[in-house]
């Protein structure tokens, strides 16, 4: 649990207005995740802004068996962990209760909400609904890691171990990703402009990506703003 607290502290140290970005560290972390789920020949494509992501993802059939490989692989691991927990009703009940308590604890301790930047209105087609938001993913992972300490399950430990590298990836600047087969299309965290802890909504750029793509924010999402001269 001390290790969990250390990870949470480091995650809370991410500066939304100047996030650290090191693509090599991201690739090492995501590659570690990939190896733990049985992927061997992982490739990375970086899109340095949402428009570049649109270009990179254009024409991909997200319903194809290749596009679904990662989701199916991780679902199989999750199902195996649940099957192990289901074999003992008392263990499953304890885990469900621990999950509820862990969710409350993580909500109080881990503050990544500002990084859960919605991309749905910036990424077109199926890709807009098929992205994995790393801040949201890591929040779920940390909840499950905390909850798993209440039961003994090798499958659950393997599952959590496989997902934990995304915490390192987030700290190194990975914001969102898409997976096609064993190819990861990665989008960095943007720099955010905040006022009183919330995204500015007065027409100024609220989110700026490394390639200078800038977007203002309002309640219904993001819309293009003048490009930033500095990322």
């Amino acid at each position: 649990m001390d290790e969990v607290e250390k990870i949470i502290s480091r995650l809370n140290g991410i500066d939304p207005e100047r996030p650290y970005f090191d693509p090599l560290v991201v690739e090492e972390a995501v590659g570690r995740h990939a190896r733990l789920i049985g992927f061997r020949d992982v490739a990375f494509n970086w899109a340095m802004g949402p428009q570049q992501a649109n270009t990179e993802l254009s024409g991909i059939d997200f319903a194809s068996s290749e596009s679904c490989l990662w989701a199916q692989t991780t679902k199989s691991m999750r199902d195996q962990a649940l099957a192990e927990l289901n074999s003992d009703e008392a263990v499953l009940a304890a885990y469900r209760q621990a999950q509820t308590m862990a969710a409350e604890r993580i909500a109080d301790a881990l503050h990544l909400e500002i990084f859960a930047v919605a991309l749905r209105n910036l990424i077109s087609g199926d890709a807009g609904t098929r992205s994995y938001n790393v801040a949201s993913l890591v929040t779920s992972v940390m909840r499950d890691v905390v909850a798993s300490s209440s039961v003994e399950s090798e499958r659950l430990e393997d599952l959590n171990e496989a997902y934990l590298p995304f915490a390192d990836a987030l700290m190194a600047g990975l914001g969102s990703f898409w997976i096609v087969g064993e190819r990861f299309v990665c989008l960095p965290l943007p720099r955010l402009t905040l006022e009183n802890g919330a995204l500015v909504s007065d027409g100024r750029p609220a989110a700026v990506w490394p390639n200078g793509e800038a977007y203002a924010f309002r309640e219904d999402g993001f819309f293009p703003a003048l490009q930033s001269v500095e990322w």
Side-chain angles (χ1 to χ4, degrees):
M1 298 308 296
D2 287 344
E3 191 61 33
V4 168
E5 296 300 336
K6 289 178 183 177
I7 295 172
I8 289 174
S9 177
R10 291 174 63 206
L11 287 166
N12 284 338
I14 301 173
D15 182 355
E17 298 191 294
R18 295 187 72 85
Y20 173 70
F21 179 49
D22 189 330
L24 294 180
V25 173
V26 171
E27 290 178 17
E28 193 282 326
V30 176
R32 190 162 70 250
H33 157 80
R35 291 190 295 274
L36 287 168
I37 66 169
F39 285 19
R40 292 290 176 263
D41 300 315
V42 180
F44 293 92
N45 293 105
W46 281 94
M48 292 300 173
Q51 300 238 356
Q52 284 190 11
N54 269 319
T55 300
E56 191 70 42
L57 299 166
S58 176
I60 292 175
D61 178 5
F62 282 96
S64 69
S65 57
E66 182 188 28
S67 297
C68 295
L69 179 61
W70 182 80
Q72 290 171 346
T73 301
T74 53
K75 181 180 183 302
S76 176
M77 293 179 68
R78 202 171 296 113
D79 289 346
Q80 289 172 22
L82 284 174
E84 187 175 73
L85 293 170
N86 272 315
S87 64
D88 187 321
E89 289 186 9
V91 170
L92 181 62
Y95 180 63
R96 294 299 191 200
Q97 183 179 6
Q99 271 194 317
T100 300
M101 295 175 64
E104 295 174 359
R105 178 181 173 191
I106 292 300
D108 290 338
L110 187 60
H111 308 293
L112 299 179
E113 298 86 356
I114 198 66
F115 297 108
V117 178
L119 295 173
R120 194 161 297 180
N121 64 322
L122 297 180
I123 307 296
S124 60
D126 287 345
T129 59
R130 297 300 184 103
S131 69
Y132 295 94
N133 184 285
V134 183
S136 298
L137 179 62
V138 168
T139 299
S140 297
V141 172
M142 297 309 298
R143 177 206 64 202
D144 291 341
V145 168
V146 172
S148 68
S149 65
S150 66
V151 298
E152 291 188 10
S153 168
E154 289 186 12
R155 299 280 190 183
L156 194 57
E157 286 182 14
D158 290 344
L159 182 64
N160 289 333
E161 184 181 357
Y163 274 99
L164 268 175
F166 284 112
D168 289 331
L170 178 62
M171 285 184 273
L174 178 62
S176 303
F177 63 94
W178 295 258
I179 306 173
V180 183
E182 296 191 18
R183 179 168 70 99
F184 285 73
V185 178
C186 300
L187 181 67
L189 286 172
R191 285 187 174 176
L192 303 177
T193 303
L194 308 178
E195 199 165 77
N196 299 321
L199 289 168
V200 295
S201 55
D202 55 7
R204 286 181 290 160
V208 181
W209 271 268
N211 65 353
E213 288 183 44
Y215 297 86
F217 175 74
R218 58 192 178 200
E219 287 186 4
D220 56 345
F222 289 89
F223 58 96
L226 291 175
Q227 282 199 331
S228 171
V229 295
E230 178 190 2
W231 179 69

